[in-house]
Amino acid sequence: RYVFAEPWCLGKDVLDLACGVGYGSAYLAGSARRVVGVDISEEAVAYAQSRYTAANVEYVDADAVALPFEAGSFDTVCSFETIEHLPDRDGYLAELARVLRPDGTCIVSTPNARRTTARPNNPFHYVELDRTDFAALLRRYFETVELYGQRRLQTRRYRLLRRLDVLGLRRRVSLLWRASALV
């Protein structure tokens, strides 16, 4: 995702929202004028500050729905695999639109659900959006919306294992393992 976003970050002021431990912010710093990585986790920000430093990168501990930046602070906003973790999706998107410059680019990603669900299997997700609902939500905050997808690289071994798993046991064992880990 960061490689995909890089062309929109060349020489720009970039916000990497929900940056986690900072590896993506550091990657974008190789081509951006300035990168600010933001995460709500103090531990993740502390790790990023100790591990992924550069002269044009800073890390901030902040909430995605209450960003501590002036309106129009960034040319590019990147926020990957974030929206599904937030109960206030409208507050999040409003903040992205607020801190983005008028001619800026916002690049967000989310898992591609077959249908929108407010009760996803992943216990850390509040919602999973299908393409239609994701695009409709984005259009409420951004004038132009383009959707792209990504596919997993399917090796021969991966395809063979999928063919051998005709009963879908791999998926069921994974779900059982996740359920037992939560107990």
Side-chain angles (χ1 to χ4, degrees), residues 81-180:
E81 308 300 308
T82 308
I83 195 169
E84 65 275 8
H85 294 275
L86 302 173
D88 185 2
R89 290 169 294 286
D90 286 300
Y92 159 76
L93 290 172
E95 278 296 272
L96 296 183
R98 183 185 70 78
V99 300
L100 190 64
R101 292 185 178 131
D103 59 344
T105 301
C106 183
I107 305 168
V108 298
S109 68
T110 192
N112 186 18
R114 290 181 188 200
R115 64 181 169 75
T116 296
T117 179
R119 299 184 59 84
N121 288 333
N122 186 326
F124 301 105
H125 290 182
Y126 284 92
V127 68
E128 289 178 357
L129 300 162
D130 66 18
R131 287 178 65 90
T132 302
D133 291 337
F134 186 47
L137 182 58
L138 292 172
R139 283 189 183 98
R140 292 178 12 206
Y141 297 92
F142 302 100
E143 186 176 317
T144 303
V145 172
E146 296 177 17
L147 296 182
Y148 297 86
Q150 98 182 29
R151 285 184 240 182
R152 174 190 325 223
L153 177 63
Q154 294 188 3
T155 62
R156 283 184 183 178
R157 187 173 108 192
Y158 176 81
R159 287 192 302 272
L160 175 63
L161 289 173
R162 282 194 67 188
R163 271 190 243 126
L164 293 174
D165 187 18
V166 293
L167 299 176
L169 296 176
R170 179 182 55 85
R171 183 177 175 277
R172 291 178 187 174
V173 168
S174 175
L175 289 174
L176 287 174
W177 179 82
R178 274 190 243 145
S180 66

Side-chain angles (χ1 to χ4, degrees), residues 2 5 8-9 12-20 24-26 28-29 32-40 56-80 82 92-101 104-108 142:
Y2 288 103
W8 288 278
C9 300
K12 307 283 183 165
D13 294 325
V14 177
L15 171 64
D16 183 15
L17 184 57
C19 70
S25 299
L28 294 176
R33 176 177 40 235
R34 174 179 72 116
V35 178
V36 179
V38 172
D39 203 277
I40 197 166
N56 62 337
V57 178
E58 67 177 288
Y59 296 98
V60 176
D61 173 24
D63 190 325
V65 298
L67 295 171
F69 307 111
E70 298 284 328
S73 295
F74 299 97
D75 299 299
T76 305
V77 174
C78 298
S79 187
F80 303 130
T82 308
Y92 159 76
L93 290 172
E95 278 296 272
L96 296 183
R98 183 185 70 78
V99 300
L100 190 64
R101 292 185 178 131
T105 301
C106 183
I107 305 168
V108 298
F142 302 100

